[in-house]
Amino acid sequence: MPPKKATQDSLALVQGQKRKAPPQYSFNGQNHSNRGRDPKRVKLFDARTILAQNSEAALKNGELDLSAFLRAREFEIKALEDGLQKSKTLLTKRAFQQVPRDLRRRTASHNVKRVPKRLQKRAAKEMKDDNTPTVNRKNRRPGTTRGRLRAETAKRLGLLAVKKKAKPKDWKGVEGCVETRAPRPKIRRNQFNSPPKPISKFRKRQIHKTWLPTHMWHAKRARMTEPKNPLWRFAIPITSTEKSYRPTHRAAGARGAVAWDMSYMSTIALEGPVESLKKLLNAVGVNDASLWGHKGDKWRDGKRSWSGWISRDIQTGRVQIGPAVVVWCTSESESTTLPLKRPLRKIFVRIHPSIFLETWEEILRLAKLQRPTVQVEDLRFEIGSISITGPGSTETLLGILHPYHESGDLLEEHGRTFRSLAGVSNPGSLPANAVLAFSIMDPRLRYPSRNITLPRQDDEEATFALLEMLASWPLDDSPPSRALFDRDARFKATKFPTQKSINRRKGQALPGAYPTTLSTDPPIPLMLLTSRTASPASAQGMWTLLAPWKCILPIWYGLVHYPLTSGGNPRFGGLDELRQTHFENGTAFFPVDYPGTAAGFTWEVEQRTQRKAKWERRPKGKRVEWESFDLGASRKGELGRGWSCDFERLIGAKALPDVDGASTQGTTQNTDPTPPKPTASIELKTPVQHVICKEFTSLFSTKTASLPPASSISVVKLTLVKRGIASPCARIYRLPATVTSSTHDSIDTAATASTSTSKPPSTTRLAWLSLLPTPTYQKPLPNIKSLSKQKFQHLPLNVPLPQRKRLLAQSLLQDPPLQYPATNKQGDDHPLVPDEEDLIGFVTTGEYNLAEGKGVAIGSVSVCKVLEGERRAGKGEGASRLCIVRDAGEKIGRLARWEAI
């Protein structure tokens, strides 16, 4: 290697500079030395620059100096190897940086176990090379006396467990050693059943709650309920840890799929004669005439499911409990040829966990009154469920659910029909409330899932055949499987082989082939239920998968990792995403949007406590003073408590003592900490009663019907006429009554005599009706005089260009000119909201609806006040189903239309 020559950089160091001058390169004939650093990264350029020597140095007087030539080539070869090594390691990432963003952990760079197993060896090597301090849990010494005692206790318990499990190698020949099977879980009748016993490692974490089958998977990717504050005695995922509002909207409606683990939904099994079951269902509100006639044959045969509301009798009438799904088991006479004297039938009743206790007590009371009696079983922890929606939901299920018998005569008819659903992009296109029941193989045998073959969109024959099959629906002639209703079949399905044996069988299979199904692999019974929303008709339906509790996890793993043809994998959702899909489909979410039920009112009371605590945490100068709030027309104070949907004030009932924070002296400020939660000794009595949509619609359509009690409320959907949104706890008003001419004169006289009045102006109703947009079929032709009087927000598209320029000039040169700077009138030019006598309800859910592109809300209104307002409205004024929505703490109200849901 030739000796180094003095370079410009070394000369700069000699002159007293601390650092080398940045390299100066020329690109495209331009010198960028005046920029400080080169536009390209210097590190990247140096790594990809290979030093070389001129071959003329080895020539002396025309003769080749062999030793100099070899030294030059040796230098170039080392430079080449060094450049290759630098380029290879220049842009590499550490092991924990290779993990997807949604799976990264804060401690991943210090703990090898925080990264996936495929990267743990690489991470350990990187940490060892970098001398990164790591934590070894086994060798870590406890720092406190308490920790030392716990470590010693755990060690002794471990040794005791090893001795207890130890047994001789030839235990089969030892007297007294008997081989036993795993105990079958005991299911008590007419009593509560215990949840599955967790392993000792996690047993203390499930004392007051139960984990879902997919809890460990969700706990790493979602925000869960607080450990000491579970929801309905379950640890439920609330929402994803990453931003998911818009992705959920796209996946549920445009492309993709969204799945939820709904195993917290409660299942109650009923078994008894058909006559007794019919009487029991009639007593809980399943008494529609079409169900027990010829139209209900498919439902009673187990080929359809029923969704509706169940209720119970009280002294003053009937009270709605909540929504439920009822599925019949097919009769044994269809599957056996032996005649049965009194065949027993089974029924599954699926309900929300918030109403389980109320429903259980009512069903158990009615079951004991039947002759012959009906047996009731608690299957909350026996049957789990998964819900999935979106255009790719059917494709996902087809890719992970494979019938146990794939071909031949043993293939079930429901399994064959299910495999022919490729190409269905909306579960709502299937027959309403259709039921598919069959058995599948272990999903782990087909993991990881592969894309299924979908028919091409331009294949008219395949599309026509699919539509013809959906219209005829061949499953109406074949009974569904009864395996899920069988206790023994559910237990055998949970005794599937271990993951280690599955991996061994996968390794023995041919490359690219799946392992074959053995006789020891138990079939997994499942049931698929379809549902569709009432409105809009084009909204996505939903699949609900019912399977044994312990079989949910392997199905879930295959579901969330299925590669969709549209790209990506199905998304998972929590409670917030479930509320979002219901809201975008225009349906109410139970129990949030049903304060007229016991479960809904309990939810509202809990939300009041949280909102009030949040309001109290704000500084006094940054929170709304509810009593001094100005509503206009000399009206002071918010209607009711601003942090709650105050239905007690709406109907004139006494406020609850545990949430009554509005004092009558001076101010609503409370220096106490968070208000105490309602204790178990205080039984919350619902002041309002829910009226279902069918009854509300019949009362609204009948003008001569008598008014219901004042405590009756119903759920409505509010669509804002113009811009704006409505938030929870917003107040809903009806339009004020029309003021006659005599009343108008009296109000004007009173207004001139006194500067302050407690009533809004008499033009309030006309002012609100003037905000209605003009229908397109009644839109007048553009006129300069009429357009010049309007606020130039939007001009009609059919205005000629010269006229458009003239209108623009008039808007810029209006007389008088606009005041600068603009004054904040806080809605003084907006119509005033009506008085408290026109308050009809509150908003429970409200925000911007991405599906409709406008502000939408779900609320509850008083049925009595709504009927009064509609009957006093004038004919032909277009005020039918109009209301005013005002957010709590705001003065401006917004016009909206309501519809019963």
Side-chain angles (χ1 to χ4, degrees):
M1 182 175 178
K4 297 182 179 179
K5 298 181 180 181
T7 59
Q8 183 179 0
D9 295 341
S10 60
L11 293 176
L13 291 175
V14 173
Q15 295 176 1
Q17 296 182 0
K18 290 185 177 181
R19 299 176 180 85
K20 294 181 179 181
Q24 299 181 7
Y25 305 109
S26 178
F27 299 96
N28 299 328
Q30 299 179 2
N31 190 1
H32 299 276
S33 60
N34 57 346
R35 293 193 179 185
R37 293 189 68 85
D38 194 78
K40 289 190 175 182
R41 291 186 295 178
V42 180
K43 183 179 179 181
L44 178 63
F45 189 87
D46 290 340
R48 297 183 178 180
T49 301
I50 302 176
L51 299 179
Q53 291 185 351
N54 192 356
S55 60
E56 295 180 357
L59 296 175
K60 293 181 180 181
N61 300 326
E63 296 181 359
L64 177 64
D65 188 354
L66 186 59
S67 59
F69 180 79
L70 293 178
R71 286 196 300 268
R73 302 291 80 77
E74 180 184 3
F75 168 75
E76 292 177 355
I77 292 173
K78 289 184 178 180
L80 176 62
E81 294 177 351
D82 187 41
L84 292 175
Q85 187 66 22
K86 286 184 177 180
S87 300
K88 181 180 179 181
T89 60
L90 180 63
L91 298 178
T92 56
K93 298 180 180 180
R94 294 179 66 91
F96 68 91
Q97 293 176 328
Q98 298 290 334
V99 184
R101 184 174 297 273
D102 56 341
L103 296 180
R104 292 184 183 178
R105 299 293 172 268
R106 184 179 59 184
T107 58
S109 58
H110 301 281
N111 193 347
V112 178
K113 295 184 179 180
R114 293 291 183 179
V115 297
K117 290 184 179 180
R118 60 183 177 85
L119 298 173
Q120 287 183 1
K121 292 184 179 180
R122 176 182 171 185
K125 182 179 180 301
E126 292 176 352
M127 293 181 185
K128 183 179 180 180
D129 296 341
D130 298 342
N131 198 16
T132 303
T134 58
V135 177
N136 191 350
R137 185 177 181 183
K138 294 182 179 180
N139 299 335
R140 182 178 58 183
R141 294 183 178 181
T144 60
T145 304
R146 183 181 179 184
R148 180 177 57 82
L149 294 176
R150 293 185 62 183
E152 292 177 356
T153 305
K155 185 177 180 180
R156 287 196 299 267
L157 292 176
L159 295 176
L160 181 63
V162 171
K163 293 180 180 179
K164 189 175 181 180
K165 293 181 179 179
K167 55 185 178 181
K169 296 181 179 180
D170 53 345
W171 61 272
K172 293 185 178 181
V174 178
E175 184 179 358
C177 293
V178 181
E179 182 180 4
T180 61
R181 63 171 177 82
R184 188 176 61 176
K186 187 176 182 180
I187 300 179
R188 306 180 185 91
R189 292 193 171 186
N190 303 332
Q191 294 181 10
F192 292 134
N193 288 311
S194 302
K197 188 176 181 180
I199 59 178
S200 59
K201 183 178 180 180
F202 306 115
R203 192 167 300 164
K204 287 186 177 180
R205 308 185 193 181
Q206 304 183 53
I207 297 178
H208 303 293
K209 61 180 179 296
T210 303
W211 285 0
L212 299 180
T214 60
H215 175 84
M216 299 295 290
W217 190 92
H218 278 98
K220 300 178 181 180
R221 299 164 177 85
R223 182 170 59 86
M224 310 294 292
T225 54
E226 298 179 3
K228 295 184 179 180
N229 189 21
L231 194 59
W232 308 309
R233 299 186 66 87
F234 284 96
I236 299 177
I238 302 299
T239 185
S240 174
T241 53
E242 59 181 2
K243 294 183 179 180
S244 58
Y245 191 86
R246 287 183 180 271
T248 300
H249 163 71
R250 298 188 187 102
R255 48 181 294 177
V258 186
W260 294 269
D261 183 3
M262 303 290 291
S263 298
Y264 57 86
M265 296 292 289
S266 303
T267 304
I268 299 176
L270 308 177
E271 183 178 8
V274 179
E275 297 80 6
S276 300
L277 293 176
K278 179 179 178 180
K279 294 178 182 178
L280 192 148
L281 292 178
N282 282 327
V284 295
V286 189
N287 51 9
D288 194 354
S290 60
L291 296 177
W292 306 106
H294 179 68
K295 295 182 178 180
D297 291 343
K298 296 179 181 179
W299 172 61
R300 295 192 302 273
D301 293 339
K303 303 171 185 177
R304 296 287 189 275
S305 63
W306 175 86
S307 301
W309 279 76
I310 57 177
S311 57
R312 60 185 178 90
D313 284 327
I314 58 175
Q315 296 180 355
T316 58
R318 294 193 66 85
V319 176
Q320 301 295 332
I321 299 178
V325 177
V326 180
V327 183
W328 283 77
C329 177
T330 181
S331 60
E332 296 183 4
S333 59
E334 297 183 6
S335 56
T336 60
T337 57
L338 298 177
L340 299 177
K341 182 178 181 182
R342 187 183 292 273
L344 300 180
R345 298 288 300 276
K346 293 183 180 180
I347 292 178
F348 278 171
V349 181
R350 297 269 299 171
I351 55 177
H352 196 270
S354 60
I355 61 173
F356 171 75
L357 184 59
E358 185 179 4
T359 307
W360 173 269
E361 292 178 350
E362 181 65 16
I363 289 181
L364 189 61
R365 182 185 66 86
L366 295 173
K368 294 179 180 180
L369 298 177
Q370 307 302 323
R371 293 295 181 272
T373 59
V374 176
Q375 301 295 332
V376 186
E377 293 181 353
D378 176 16
L379 300 182
R380 288 177 295 172
F381 309 108
E382 276 283 307
I383 296 178
S385 61
I386 295 175
S387 296
I388 182 171
T389 185
S393 58
T394 307
E395 176 193 352
T396 304
L397 294 179
L398 289 172
I400 64 172
L401 303 180
H402 303 275
Y404 188 76
H405 301 285
E406 295 184 311
S407 61
D409 298 336
L410 298 178
L411 178 60
E412 298 173 282
E413 184 64 27
H414 282 240
R416 181 182 290 105
T417 304
F418 173 72
R419 293 175 61 178
S420 64
L421 294 179
V424 175
S425 59
N426 188 354
S429 60
L430 271 71
N433 302 322
V435 176
L436 292 88
F438 54 96
S439 298
I440 64 170
M441 66 176 63
D442 193 340
R444 298 175 298 170
L445 296 174
R446 296 293 187 268
Y447 181 86
S449 305
R450 302 174 185 174
N451 293 98
I452 64 173
T453 303
L454 297 177
R456 296 183 303 175
Q457 296 182 354
D458 56 351
D459 191 352
E460 297 183 357
E461 295 183 0
T463 303
F464 181 77
L466 179 61
L467 294 176
E468 186 178 9
M469 187 267 294
L470 294 177
S472 60
W473 198 239
L475 296 185
D476 291 341
D477 301 330
S478 60
S481 174
R482 305 177 67 254
L484 191 62
F485 291 87
D486 187 5
R487 176 184 174 187
D488 294 332
R490 294 197 303 266
F491 173 70
K492 292 178 181 179
T494 59
K495 308 305 294 182
F496 36 70
T498 61
Q499 184 64 45
K500 185 176 294 185
S501 64
I502 294 290
N503 295 340
R504 186 184 305 111
R505 291 165 58 182
K506 286 183 178 180
Q508 296 174 356
L510 297 176
Y514 287 121
T516 58
T517 305
L518 303 179
S519 59
T520 56
D521 295 333
I524 299 178
L526 61 79
M527 182 183 298
L528 291 173
L529 308 179
T530 60
S531 60
R532 61 176 69 169
T533 58
S535 61
S538 60
Q540 279 286 333
M542 181 174 291
W543 287 100
T544 301
L545 184 148
L546 305 181
W549 178 276
K550 294 183 179 180
C551 300
I552 292 296
L553 184 59
I555 296 177
W556 179 264
Y557 273 122
L559 188 145
V560 295
H561 295 144
Y562 176 78
L564 293 169
T565 55
S566 59
N569 305 106
R571 297 185 59 86
F572 77 94
L575 201 64
D576 291 349
E577 285 75 21
L578 191 60
R579 291 183 59 181
Q580 175 188 348
T581 54
H582 279 75
F583 176 75
E584 292 181 352
N585 291 335
T587 57
F589 180 68
F590 187 87
V592 179
D593 297 324
Y594 292 94
T597 61
F601 189 72
T602 303
W603 177 278
E604 166 59 25
V605 171
E606 294 176 356
Q607 295 300 312
R608 290 181 186 180
T609 305
Q610 297 178 9
R611 296 192 198 103
K612 184 180 179 182
K614 183 179 179 180
W615 176 80
E616 288 176 345
R617 287 195 301 265
R618 295 180 63 88
K620 294 183 179 180
K622 295 184 179 181
R623 64 186 183 189
V624 180
E625 297 297 338
W626 302 113
E627 287 196 352
S628 60
F629 178 69
D630 185 15
L631 286 174
S634 302
R635 294 174 296 178
K636 297 291 183 180
E638 184 59 86
L639 300 182
R641 292 157 288 189
W643 55 77
S644 67
C645 299
D646 204 344
F647 289 98
E648 299 94 302
R649 179 159 182 169
L650 176 64
I651 63 176
K654 184 179 179 181
L656 294 178
D658 54 335
V659 293
D660 189 7
S663 60
T664 57
Q665 299 179 359
T667 179
T668 58
Q669 299 177 7
N670 189 357
T671 58
D672 296 336
T674 305
K677 297 183 180 180
T679 59
S681 59
I682 302 177
E683 182 179 358
L684 295 177
K685 294 184 179 180
T686 309
V688 290
Q689 302 298 332
H690 177 69
V691 177
I692 60 177
C693 177
K694 185 177 180 180
E695 297 179 3
F696 181 38
T697 305
S698 62
L699 289 173
F700 187 81
S701 59
T702 306
K703 301 298 182 181
T704 59
S706 59
L707 295 178
S711 60
S712 301
I713 64 173
S714 185
V715 181
V716 295
K717 175 187 175 183
L718 307 172
T719 305
L720 299 185
V721 174
K722 293 188 176 180
R723 301 177 62 182
I725 60 174
S727 303
C729 299
R731 275 54 179 161
I732 306 175
Y733 299 87
R734 63 188 178 188
L735 295 182
T738 305
V739 181
T740 59
S741 58
S742 58
T743 309
H744 179 76
D745 296 339
S746 62
I747 292 178
D748 290 343
T749 305
T752 55
S754 176
T755 58
S756 64
T757 177
S758 61
K759 295 291 183 181
S762 59
T763 57
T764 301
R765 184 179 183 88
L766 297 178
W768 283 109
L769 291 177
S770 64
L771 297 179
L772 285 174
T774 305
T776 54
Y777 59 87
Q778 296 180 357
K779 194 170 187 178
L781 295 176
N783 188 3
I784 298 178
K785 296 182 179 180
S786 62
L787 292 176
S788 61
K789 297 179 182 179
Q790 300 177 2
K791 295 181 180 180
F792 295 92
Q793 297 180 355
H794 299 283
L795 293 178
L797 297 177
N798 54 355
V799 177
L801 182 60
Q803 190 173 352
R804 185 181 293 272
K805 293 181 179 180
R806 194 180 313 167
L807 295 175
L808 178 61
Q810 291 180 4
S811 63
L812 296 176
L813 303 175
Q814 54 180 314
D815 187 24
L818 294 176
Q819 184 177 357
Y820 182 81
T823 58
N824 187 12
K825 297 184 179 180
Q826 296 182 356
D828 292 341
D829 56 343
H830 200 273
L832 297 177
V833 295
D835 209 348
E836 185 175 1
E837 62 182 7
D838 293 319
L839 181 68
I840 60 174
F842 300 90
V843 172
T844 54
T845 302
E847 55 189 354
Y848 188 83
N849 193 331
L850 295 177
E852 299 188 16
K854 60 176 65 177
V856 179
I858 305 293
S860 296
V861 296
S862 173
V863 178
C864 181
K865 289 191 174 184
V866 169
L867 295 179
E868 288 179 355
E870 292 295 329
R871 292 177 182 179
R872 76 184 184 186
K875 296 182 179 180
E877 64 179 3
S880 179
R881 299 178 183 267
L882 283 178
C883 62
I884 303 168
V885 183
R886 177 183 65 84
D887 283 344
E890 293 187 4
K891 181 180 178 181
I892 299 177
R894 305 185 185 278
L895 198 64
R897 291 190 181 273
W898 62 267
E899 58 176 327
I901 56 176

